[in-house]
Amino acid sequence: MTLDADLLRRRLADTRWHRIEVVDATGSTNADLVTRAATEEIDGTVRLTTDQTAGRGRHARTWTAPRGTQLAMSAAVDVGDHTEHLGWLSLLAGLAAVQGIAEVCGVRPALKWPNDVLIDGRKTAGILSEYTRSPHTRGGDGGVAVIGTGLNTTMAADELPVPTATSLRLATGKDVPTTELAAAYLRALSELLDLWPHDVEGLAERYREDSDTIGRRVRLVLPGDDEVIGTATGVDASGRIVVDADGRQVVAAAGDVTHLRPV
């Protein structure tokens, strides 16, 4: 399904997203914006496609889909010097995905920390937030975050990249209105960013409500294959997962964790 750029601009006219770029295909919407941050101001820019050929996840994992079966969106945000709260940006994108999918598709996903959106335990979306220094920020000496989200929209069962994935069409049995989904997600993300980084306690409460991780017994796999097993009890002010490992509190950032899996 194609994206209607004019409709998106109308639906997002009163949000922080003032530059909407819809492209037929690209390697990576995230990479496109990160590269441009070095030479231009990109705050408020959103880049979207239904054909991303070189998508990336955490730890350089690939994210691929047949042409027209995914929705890839990257949004650029001037974050100034709020670098201690950058870990929250992927969590906010997850919350926005939950809200957008629930609004448009009628099913409410759950969130697996730090960056997976699940329907019935199967991954339907992944998120990657990247930070880069840029001379083109409001303060002139800050940074830009590019928040990327890739959603499996219309993949058939034999097109899924892994058996633990799903698509919105498979999960709902209905066609996916791609433009409406993109608009709902981006509106929600804009509203959530209005709360960041000033109300992380409120954001943490909202994240807890949609989390499939908090309250579960989990296994953290760390670099070097070290493991921590315990109960996920919450996320902290920096967006890090907090795990009670049988009385010992372990706090881990997304970049420090190779895998998180339920026990």
Side-chain angles (χ1 to χ4, degrees), residues 91-178:
L91 308 190
L92 294 188
L95 287 171
V98 167
Q99 186 171 325
I101 292 169
E103 178 182 325
V104 174
C105 300
V107 294
R108 191 168 189 87
L111 297 172
K112 175 178 174 286
W113 185 92
N115 65 339
D116 290 351
V117 182
L118 310 177
I119 298 177
D120 296 329
R122 295 179 177 271
K123 182 174 178 177
T124 192
I127 297 161
L128 178 67
S129 296
E130 299 181 89
Y131 172 80
T132 183
R133 301 288 293 180
S134 172
H136 302 280
T137 56
R138 285 185 295 272
D141 187 30
V144 174
V146 176
I147 307 170
T149 301
L151 296 99
N152 297 336
T153 51
T154 61
M155 285 184 195
D158 61 356
E159 294 174 322
L160 296 172
V162 292
T164 53
T166 190
S167 71
L168 294 174
R169 177 179 285 175
L170 288 171
T172 65
K174 302 175 183 177
D175 286 337
V176 180
T178 310

Side-chain angles (χ1 to χ4, degrees), residues 12-262:
L12 300 172
D14 59 344
T15 70
R16 67 175 58 232
W17 313 123
H18 58 80
R19 186 189 299 166
I20 310 296
E21 303 174 351
V22 174
V23 294
D24 182 58
T26 190
S28 165
T29 55
N30 259 36
D32 291 347
L33 292 186
V34 169
T35 299
R36 285 164 52 186
T39 58
E40 63 181 276
E41 181 181 349
I42 62 169
D43 177 50
T45 300
V46 180
R47 193 165 176 84
L48 308 93
T49 188
T50 58
D51 186 15
Q52 182 171 251
T53 59
R56 295 169 293 124
R58 291 193 315 124
H59 303 296
R61 296 170 185 143
T62 58
W63 179 267
T64 59
R67 179 179 175 85
T69 65
Q70 66 174 329
L71 172 59
M73 302 175 283
S74 293
V77 181
D78 185 340
V79 297
D81 58 359
H82 296 299
T83 54
E84 69 274 22
H85 299 296
L86 288 176
W88 262 103
L89 296 179
S90 290
L91 308 190
L92 294 188
L95 287 171
V98 167
Q99 186 171 325
I101 292 169
E103 178 182 325
V104 174
C105 300
V107 294
R108 191 168 189 87
L111 297 172
K112 175 178 174 286
W113 185 92
N115 65 339
D116 290 351
V117 182
L118 310 177
I119 298 177
D120 296 329
R122 295 179 177 271
K123 182 174 178 177
T124 192
I127 297 161
L128 178 67
S129 296
E130 299 181 89
Y131 172 80
T132 183
R133 301 288 293 180
S134 172
H136 302 280
T137 56
R138 285 185 295 272
D141 187 30
V144 174
V146 176
I147 307 170
T149 301
L151 296 99
N152 297 336
T153 51
T154 61
M155 285 184 195
D158 61 356
E159 294 174 322
L160 296 172
V162 292
T164 53
T166 190
S167 71
L168 294 174
R169 177 179 285 175
L170 288 171
T172 65
K174 302 175 183 177
D175 286 337
V176 180
T178 310
T179 300
E180 296 291 348
L181 178 60
Y185 163 81
L186 288 166
R187 288 193 68 87
L189 183 60
S190 180
E191 292 166 1
L192 288 163
L193 283 165
D194 288 342
L195 303 175
W196 178 91
H198 313 293
D199 186 19
V200 293
E201 290 186 6
L203 292 171
E205 184 59 34
R206 293 178 65 166
Y207 187 82
R208 177 183 290 275
E209 293 174 2
D210 287 314
S211 175
D212 189 57
T213 300
I214 296 171
R216 282 184 179 268
R217 190 86 170 160
V218 298
R219 174 183 287 107
L220 293 178
V221 180
L222 307 173
D225 293 327
D226 291 335
E227 289 188 350
V228 173
I229 296 176
T231 300
T233 59
V235 289
D236 71 2
S238 298
R240 299 176 298 179
I241 193 73
V242 181
V243 175
D244 181 354
D246 300 322
R248 178 172 63 97
Q249 182 171 282
V250 177
V251 180
D256 299 330
V257 176
T258 305
H259 293 288
L260 179 148
R261 296 190 173 100

